[in-house]
Amino acid sequence: MTDRLKGKVALITGASNGIGAGTSELFAKEGCSIILADKNFDEAKHLCNEISKFNPNCIALKLDVTSENNWIEVIQKSVNIFSGLNILVNNAGIYSRKLIEQTELNEFEEIIKVNLNGTFLGTKHVIPEMRKMGNGSIINMSSTAGIVGNIGSGAYGASKGGIKIFTKYAALQHAHENIRVNSVHPGPINTEMISENLSTPSNTNKIMSKIPLKRIGTVNDVAMGVLFLASDESSYITGSELVIDGGLTSI
Ligand SMILES: NC(=O)c1ccc[n+]([C@@H]2O[C@H](COP(=O)([O-])OP(=O)(O)OC[C@H]3O[C@@H](n4cnc5c(N)ncnc54)[C@H](O)[C@@H]3O)[C@@H](O)[C@H]2O)c1
């Protein structure tokens, strides 16, 4: 355990699995108090039990990021328990591979609701608490799909592009309060979310062949970037886009 986040309190959404789980573990190792927030409470609780073995300052809360009331409750509980909040990682997200003509309106809306509305609601309700602390770092999980187009899910791309530009508005509106807001743009990362895309060696090789660094990213690759943006090491960085994609979008 080191102390890059010592004394800070972080709320991480989508913390039960994949990138959110890896980020939560890394934050806990860096001395942070953490709130693991996920729709899937049982898995969040399980991870919290594991983390508590080396960092007791960990709680799990049930949160559906699409519910404004849920956000208000979770932020209030977090602040009551840890006496404030310094970091929010808006990481929860869903993905679909459907082409535009195959996508029903309600499916499009659901992706926007979780990915984009969820990020908006979290940002809206955490700002007053960060203002009280006199500092804050909000990290919004976008994607390379929010920077460049692809043959795949237009709904997902639209939600992630929305997160990218929303991040800049939030950064500009709250810079004077020492609240920083940045977006992270991973390329393909080996988690449940893209397990279908990586289901056969031939599919995996096809994806890898397009990546200049010739490998699929890991959860830790992304968590290390999020850690940097959460810590005071990035104190002059706001409104920026951290791309973690093995060079994919440089082509
Ligand atoms: N895996 C990738 O290749 C990749 C690439 C770029 C960006 N991302 C983004 O990274 C983030 C994490 O993705 P992952 O790969 O770890 O996915 P994952 O499916 O492994 O984990 C997503 C987590 O979000 C939670 N979640 C889903 N809907 C929720 C809701 N309404 N409220 C609260 N929690 C909810 C799930 O329970 C799960 O724990 C997402 O925003 C995703 O879009 C992933």
Side-chain angles (χ1 to χ4, degrees):
M1 190 150 138
T2 53
D3 57 5
R4 288 171 70 188
L5 297 179
K6 193 164 180 228
K8 293 192 188 292
V9 182
L11 194 164
I12 301 168
T13 71
S16 295
N17 290 288
I19 293 169
T23 301
S24 300
E25 281 175 318
L26 185 61
F27 276 27
K29 283 181 190 153
E30 294 295 342
C32 196
S33 299
I34 45 174
I35 300 102
L36 309 180
D38 204 293
K39 208 174 153 179
N40 186 338
F41 177 69
D42 288 344
E43 284 189 45
K45 185 83 199 123
H46 175 75
L47 180 62
C48 190
N49 289 341
E50 291 303 306
I51 287 175
S52 299
K53 291 175 188 166
F54 60 87
N55 181 341
N57 296 321
C58 173
I59 60 162
L61 295 176
K62 187 171 173 66
L63 169 69
D64 178 345
V65 295
T66 66
S67 159
E68 186 156 23
N69 284 340
N70 231 197
W71 266 112
I72 293 168
E73 279 168 31
V74 161
I75 288 176
Q76 204 46 61
K77 267 191 196 160
S78 305
V79 167
N80 289 346
I81 293 170
F82 292 117
S83 310
L85 261 175
N86 311 96
I87 300 161
L88 169 66
V89 185
N90 277 314
N91 165 76
I94 56 172
Y95 168 74
S96 146
R97 288 181 69 187
K98 287 193 178 172
L99 297 172
I100 292 164
E101 284 172 287
Q102 298 164 351
T103 307
E104 298 300 331
L105 177 59
N106 67 321
E107 294 171 322
F108 187 93
E109 285 175 340
E110 184 61 19
I111 291 182
I112 298 288
K113 216 170 138 187
V114 176
N115 298 358
L116 185 55
N117 296 12
T119 298
F120 155 68
L121 288 173
T123 303
K124 176 180 174 183
H125 290 289
V126 84
I127 290 281
E129 298 305 330
M130 290 182 168
R131 183 178 291 127
K132 286 181 204 157
M133 305 294 281
N135 67 78
S137 175
I138 301 175
I139 297 124
N140 294 330
M141 197 56 69
S142 179
S143 166
T144 50
I147 302 176
V148 293
N150 205 341
I151 311 289
S153 170
Y156 183 76
S159 73
K160 294 300 183 179
I163 290 173
K164 179 179 103 153
I165 197 68
F166 173 75
T167 297
K168 296 191 195 305
Y169 276 79
L172 290 179
Q173 283 176 35
H174 299 286
H176 69 285
E177 300 176 295
N178 197 26
I179 297 171
R180 301 182 296 108
V181 193
N182 293 287
S183 56
V184 174
H185 301 260
I189 306 298
N190 193 357
T191 69
E192 186 59 35
M193 181 172 275
I194 62 158
S195 56
E196 213 182 304
N197 303 7
L198 306 176
S199 57
T200 65
S202 109
N203 283 355
T204 306
N205 287 336
K206 212 161 125 192
I207 294 173
M208 276 200 305
S209 69
K210 293 185 192 150
I211 300 172
L213 287 178
K214 297 291 173 226
R215 68 174 175 85
I216 305 293
T218 65
V219 161
N220 198 52
D221 289 326
V222 182
M224 291 302 286
V226 179
L227 169 61
F228 171 66
L229 290 174
S231 77
D232 293 338
E233 294 157 23
S234 59
S235 63
Y236 197 53
I237 301 180
T238 196
S240 78
E241 297 157 31
L242 178 57
V243 178
I244 304 177
D245 70 345
L248 187 63
T249 49
S250 296
I251 299 170

